[in-house]
Amino acid sequence: MRRLRSSTVVLGGMGVLAATITACGSEPDKRCVDRLTREQLPRYECESGSGGSGSSSGTAGTTPRGSYYYGGSVSDRKVSGGSFDRTAVDSGGFGCSRTGGG
């Protein structure tokens, strides 16, 4: 029988560990969305100080038009199946489990 070298075993184990951490740490998709119409917007519409597309003042510190929407999907520029609350969306991943709640 052939014996594996300890460095091979360690490197293989590190690869599995890295894949598991990456999968569990991944975040759900994040999109900029109009809260009322659920229409997908350009990312800058969710940044404070953008003023939205209808703004002509260009004043810094204005309220952004959109909010970030997590998970779900987009069809005809409308989002569905996700949430505006990032913690409500399960990003899944290999070996991950959600704890708490109830």
Side-chain angles (χ1 to χ4, degrees), residues 33-40 69 77-79 82 84:
V33 173
D34 185 306
R35 278 189 174 269
L36 298 176
T37 65
R38 300 268 172 136
E39 181 181 344
Q40 187 173 7
Y69 188 84
R77 297 192 44 83
K78 302 274 184 171
V79 295
F84 287 103

Side-chain angles (χ1 to χ4, degrees), residues 27-94:
E27 294 201 11
D29 292 337
K30 179 170 83 170
R31 300 172 176 91
C32 185
V33 173
D34 185 306
R35 278 189 174 269
L36 298 176
T37 65
R38 300 268 172 136
E39 181 181 344
Q40 187 173 7
L41 302 170
R43 186 170 298 273
Y44 67 83
E45 295 281 6
C46 284
E47 298 169 0
S48 58
S50 69
S53 61
S55 174
S56 59
S57 64
T59 305
T62 57
T63 304
R65 176 180 168 206
S67 297
Y68 285 114
Y69 188 84
Y70 299 92
S73 59
V74 180
S75 177
D76 296 326
R77 297 192 44 83
K78 302 274 184 171
V79 295
S80 63
S83 175
F84 287 103
D85 179 9
R86 182 174 58 101
T87 59
V89 179
D90 183 13
S91 61
F94 174 75

